[in-house]
Amino acid sequence: MCRPEPARHCGSMTLIEVSDLRKSYGGRPVVDGVSLAVEEGEIFGVLGPNGAGKTTAVESILGLRVPDSGTIRVCGLDPVADRARMTLIVGAQLQESELQGKLTVAESLELFAACYPRPADWRTLAARLGLEEKLHTRFAQLSGGQKQRLAIALALIGSPRVVVLDELTTGLDPGARREVWSLIEDVRASGVTIILVTHFMEEAQRLCDRVAIFDRGRIAALDTPSGLVAQSASGTVISFTPSRPLEEDVLAALPGIASLTHHDGRVTLAGTDETVNAVISLLARNRVSAHQLRVTDSTLDDAFLDLTGAEA
């Protein structure tokens, strides 16, 4: 069963199509009418608070869960009905992946490589993911970060056309995380389509071409990272400590202002570029000095909070 017939080549630019996907547990809808399309060669991000339905939606795309209703096609294949052919075009690294504890890293990579007609060079993958010195280490003896790296290698070993990565850098230190990001960028450059489920906003902002933000089983927003940031109510954030107090109603009347807070004498305003110019003019007119003045652009974090009201 390890070598099903090769799947047909994908000809369409839209590689993954999901239409009105629904899934409930115990009468509670977990995925509630999700529709999306993923283009060939893009990195498509999936964000959302815990319990938002993102993992259920992604596992349905993989054929690991059977939807209650709706349709899913991956390169024209039904993930459930065409399961054998799907295994040749889709690789996956899931949140919780366990192997037999006595298997070494090398044995695991060799075993998975034997299941594909044209596997990637597992030694090259191991080296790229920092596993070269762990080839003879048993799975049970690996650290959490090392197990994560091995899971990523196993997802890529079949030279898939589509890869699903669920929290791929959880457990990795900042340096290792950036190395994995570089690898993912290389994988995408080779034409592989990637679905990336993540809680790291920096990761999504750097890697993803488009991002779907899930909330309460539905897609709250779907756009490029920059497009989502542009939707944020706090497009620009200005913070400073005035040399003397400014009247609250004067600050609140500034153009483009979205929010205004005070903390230990420090003023923080969220607004637009017009707000920045108005603040500078206000300070000049009133001859007020702005100590530790900071002007920063809104981030994907801000957009996420605006759209869901929850932390990632």
Side-chain angles (χ1 to χ4, degrees):
M1 296 298 292
C2 214
R3 297 180 184 274
E5 288 299 312
R8 62 182 173 82
H9 179 77
C10 301
S12 174
M13 287 298 292
T14 300
L15 208 62
I16 300 168
E17 294 180 275
V18 178
S19 179
D20 198 27
L21 178 65
R22 297 178 186 273
K23 182 70 176 179
S24 297
Y25 295 105
R28 183 177 68 87
V30 176
V31 178
D32 189 12
V34 165
S35 297
L36 58 87
V38 180
E39 301 302 307
E40 187 170 14
E42 79 171 324
I43 299 180
F44 187 89
V46 176
L47 303 178
N50 291 331
K54 55 188 186 298
T55 295
T56 297
V58 167
E59 290 183 351
S60 296
I61 291 172
L62 288 170
L64 299 177
R65 296 181 187 270
V66 179
D68 296 335
S69 62
T71 60
I72 303 172
R73 293 295 181 268
V74 180
C75 201
L77 301 176
D78 183 313
V80 176
D82 301 314
R83 179 68 181 163
R85 298 170 73 190
M86 278 275 293
T87 61
L88 288 182
I89 63 170
V90 179
Q93 168 268 324
L94 302 177
Q95 282 188 52
E96 298 179 5
S97 301
E98 290 292 322
L99 298 175
Q100 208 282 333
K102 293 184 178 180
L103 281 175
T104 67
V105 170
E107 289 169 343
S108 302
L109 291 166
E110 284 184 299
L111 176 64
F112 273 64
C115 292
Y116 297 96
R118 292 177 295 278
D121 184 338
W122 63 263
R123 293 174 182 80
T124 300
L125 269 179
R128 188 73 173 83
L129 285 161
L131 292 169
E132 207 165 22
E133 295 181 359
K134 297 293 180 179
L135 291 178
H136 302 295
T137 302
R138 297 183 189 277
F139 181 80
Q141 298 171 328
L142 297 175
S143 68
Q146 290 162 353
K147 288 179 179 179
Q148 193 76 340
R149 296 185 196 198
L150 177 57
I152 295 168
L154 295 176
L156 297 173
I157 203 163
S159 301
R161 293 186 61 80
V162 177
V163 176
V164 174
L165 302 170
D166 195 348
E167 306 296 344
L168 85 161
T169 57
T170 297
L172 302 183
D173 61 60
R177 184 175 298 136
R178 280 162 177 76
E179 289 176 8
V180 170
W181 290 352
S182 180
L183 171 65
I184 298 309
E185 288 170 334
D186 290 345
V187 170
R188 192 271 293 277
S190 70
V192 176
T193 302
I194 299 170
I195 295 180
L196 175 65
V197 184
T198 182
H199 282 308
F200 291 108
M201 296 296 132
E202 183 186 0
E203 184 167 276
Q205 198 153 3
R206 168 171 168 169
L207 294 177
C208 297
D209 299 294
R210 291 186 299 140
V211 172
I213 295 182
F214 278 63
D215 189 33
R216 299 177 182 87
R218 299 182 178 184
I219 294 179
L222 197 166
D223 206 337
T224 63
S226 60
L228 291 172
V229 170
Q231 295 178 40
S232 173
S234 52
T236 303
V237 178
I238 312 107
S239 62
F240 60 93
T241 302
S243 57
R244 58 184 175 82
L246 293 167
E247 294 182 14
E248 181 89 7
D249 58 344
V250 173
L251 290 170
L254 292 172
I257 192 166
S259 66
L260 168 63
T261 59
H262 296 268
H263 181 69
D264 293 337
R266 190 163 182 82
V267 177
T268 301
L269 306 98
T272 64
D273 289 343
E274 185 182 9
T275 313
V276 177
N277 294 329
V279 167
I280 293 171
S281 297
L282 175 66
L283 293 170
R285 285 197 309 273
N286 290 275
R287 298 183 179 180
V288 174
S289 299
H291 301 295
Q292 296 180 317
L293 176 65
R294 300 284 186 274
V295 179
T296 58
D297 290 331
S298 180
T299 66
L300 197 54
D301 267 310
D302 299 313
F304 183 89
L305 289 170
D306 287 341
L307 290 163
T308 67
E311 295 184 2

